[in-house]
Amino acid sequence: DVKVTQSSRYLVKRTGEKVFLECVQDMDHENMFWYRQDPGLGLRLIYFSYDVKMKEKGDIPEGYSVSREKKERFSLILESASTNQTSMYLCASSGVGYGYTFGSGTRLTVV
Amino acid sequence: EDQVTQSPEALRLQEGESSSLNCSYTVSGLRGLFWYRQDPGKGPEFLFTLYSAGEEKEKERLKATLTKKESFLHITAPKPEDSATYLCAVQAASGGSYIPTFGRGTSLIVHP
């Protein structure tokens, strides 16, 4: 089975901190994605990547950046964390034309 | 623009009370429709992929069906452990995009 591993299940960070969320997949998938999920808003796409060193903005990229230096790893960076970035962050990967496999999520709280 | 609407938003059932969840979609050519289950505080877990109208998939008490406009997730004789949020997503065949459009989900609670 494909596995997508997110480095932390829970994180608490202070306003203004730089935050790194790490995601690793083990099935050689080309595509990787970062979503945030909030009650009543559903899944919102932040960034995605279809190849190493490639990245594309999703629907809500403001305040975030990403890095994909290796095919299996896709990092989400909060440049200066703010309280409105408190959320559940989900990483996913997929092969071309297939559905997603999600990680278990990171619950980030910014205080 | 691709759209996915799930109904109802929330559903409460008694154990053993069968029901269906609906996913209505508009998409310019369907590549695939996906169902996921999400438990609180966890990432969505893949359940089914449906590709064409008339197709059906089953897993334990769950059965997913697909028409040209909607998909149903039928839950037969549910148990409390079936309580979760069920997400539907569609992937368009045209435009080269592989980004699925997600619905907002149906929150299912099954009471013992």
Side-chain angles (χ1 to χ4, degrees):
Chain A
D1 284 348
V2 176
K3 286 193 176 174
V4 177
T5 302
Q6 294 185 230
S7 54
S8 304
R9 289 296 306 276
Y10 301 95
L11 277 178
V12 180
K13 297 291 181 181
R14 295 194 178 277
T15 300
E17 276 193 78
K18 191 169 186 176
V19 181
F20 294 85
L21 303 182
E22 305 288 342
C23 176
V24 177
Q25 53 96 1
D26 66 358
M27 282 300 290
D28 202 36
H29 280 170
E30 296 86 0
N31 309 318
M32 297 188 74
F33 309 83
W34 276 106
Y35 286 84
R36 65 178 282 177
Q37 187 176 36
D38 301 286
L41 297 177
L43 286 163
R44 292 184 289 169
L45 182 63
I46 305 171
Y47 267 96
F48 62 101
S49 169
Y50 52 86
D51 203 351
V52 176
K53 297 191 184 294
M54 304 299 287
K55 60 185 179 182
E56 296 284 345
K57 292 180 179 180
D59 300 320
I60 52 163
E62 296 78 18
Y64 304 94
S65 62
V66 289
S67 172
R68 194 169 182 196
E69 296 296 320
K70 294 184 178 182
K71 191 173 186 179
E72 67 271 19
R73 186 180 298 271
F74 193 34
S75 302
L76 179 69
I77 303 155
L78 284 66
E79 297 292 343
S80 178
S82 63
T83 55
N84 63 12
Q85 292 178 310
T86 291
S87 186
M88 168 71 96
Y89 289 87
L90 291 163
C91 176
S93 74
S94 75
V96 176
Y98 295 95
Y100 288 175
T101 298
F102 285 89
S104 54
T106 296
R107 172 71 66 184
L108 173 67
T109 302
V110 182
V111 298
Chain B
E1 182 179 334
D2 302 337
Q3 290 189 332
V4 178
T5 303
Q6 292 189 247
S7 62
E9 288 186 17
L11 181 62
R12 292 178 180 268
L13 299 173
Q14 289 297 126
E15 185 172 2
E17 180 186 1
S18 301
S19 188
S20 297
L21 282 55
N22 177 263
C23 173
S24 298
Y25 65 91
T26 55
V27 66
S28 52
L30 181 69
R31 172 177 284 172
L33 184 142
F34 311 99
W35 282 99
Y36 294 87
R37 170 193 169 122
Q38 186 174 23
D39 293 304
K42 297 186 178 181
E45 175 188 349
F46 171 78
L47 291 173
F48 305 109
T49 305
L50 301 167
Y51 295 104
S52 58
E55 189 175 0
E56 299 181 352
K57 295 270 180 79
E58 287 189 66
K59 180 180 180 180
E60 296 180 356
R61 294 177 291 282
L62 299 177
K63 180 180 178 180
T65 62
L66 181 65
T67 73
K68 289 185 178 181
K69 293 183 178 181
E70 57 192 350
S71 177
F72 291 94
L73 186 64
H74 306 278
I75 304 177
T76 302
K79 298 182 177 181
E81 53 262 42
D82 294 322
S83 298
T85 295
Y86 291 86
L87 296 170
C88 170
V90 296
Q91 193 173 48
S94 62
S97 172
Y98 43 79
I99 307 295
T101 299
F102 281 86
R104 297 209 175 166
T106 294
S107 174
L108 173 66
I109 297 176
V110 182
H111 296 285

